[in-house]
Amino acid sequence: PKLNYKMIKYTIEFPIKSSVSVLFNAVSTPDGLSEWFADNVNWNGNVYTFIWDDSKEEAELLKKTNNQLIRFRWLHEDEDTFFEFKIEVDPVTNDVTLFVTDFAENEEERENETKLWEAQVHALMKRIGS
């Protein structure tokens, strides 16, 4: 039987010094994602294949709004879960913020995943010169 537990949804925000189009390209295209998120990324229709060393995971593209949002769901994960990258621009200061939303099974996993996201977004910022 499937365990009925509630996944914890969490969002981390990162101020990014970048143009929105450069940032969106880095979080939404196979080329952009393979520069910081995975070793290689391929896509076929709505399914993206993320490859790291000797492992690979497939994710379905759920939603994409140009220069604003991209949302994926790991195919092996629960139907209700996703991970997304959302870009917001402050209307007054024009500061760009990247919001990463993901799900974890428990508080400990959330803490570990948060550290991983921080490391990955750091690599992203380095890559785009933020």
Side-chain angles (χ1 to χ4, degrees):
K2 189 167 166 25
L3 290 173
N4 195 1
Y5 59 88
K6 192 88 177 103
M7 297 286 278
I8 303 167
K9 181 181 177 184
Y10 64 95
T11 301
I12 320 162
E13 70 182 82
F14 300 94
I16 308 268
K17 290 179 176 33
S18 166
S19 76
V20 169
S21 57
V22 166
L23 179 57
F24 189 73
N25 187 58
V27 299
S28 67
T29 67
D31 283 351
L33 287 161
S34 64
E35 289 184 347
W36 67 278
F37 185 73
D39 297 331
N40 199 1
V41 181
N42 301 313
W43 65 279
N44 186 353
N46 260 5
V47 176
Y48 285 60
T49 304
F50 296 87
I51 301 160
W52 297 269
D53 293 331
D54 53 2
S55 71
K56 69 180 193 181
E57 298 285 352
E58 291 185 325
E60 175 188 12
L61 174 64
L62 298 179
K63 187 176 181 183
K64 183 175 177 179
T65 308
N66 272 347
N67 292 328
Q68 288 180 334
L69 177 109
I70 187 151
R71 179 182 293 171
F72 297 97
R73 183 182 70 80
W74 295 117
L75 295 183
H76 67 274
E77 293 275 342
D78 202 69
E79 286 283 330
D80 302 334
T81 66
F82 59 85
F83 67 100
E84 77 176 14
F85 304 111
K86 187 167 94 180
I87 300 169
E88 285 186 7
V89 181
D90 184 291
V92 178
T93 62
N94 277 332
D95 289 344
V96 176
T97 304
L98 175 67
F99 293 88
V100 176
T101 299
D102 200 354
F103 287 80
E105 289 184 19
N106 54 47
E107 202 49 49
E108 187 182 344
E109 185 182 81
R110 186 189 66 78
E111 284 175 31
N112 292 337
E113 288 181 10
T114 297
K115 288 187 182 97
L116 184 62
W117 278 118
E118 286 168 351
Q120 286 185 295
V121 173
H122 227 79
L124 162 67
M125 289 160 78
K126 227 173 153 160
R127 190 72 202 93
I128 62 177
S130 171

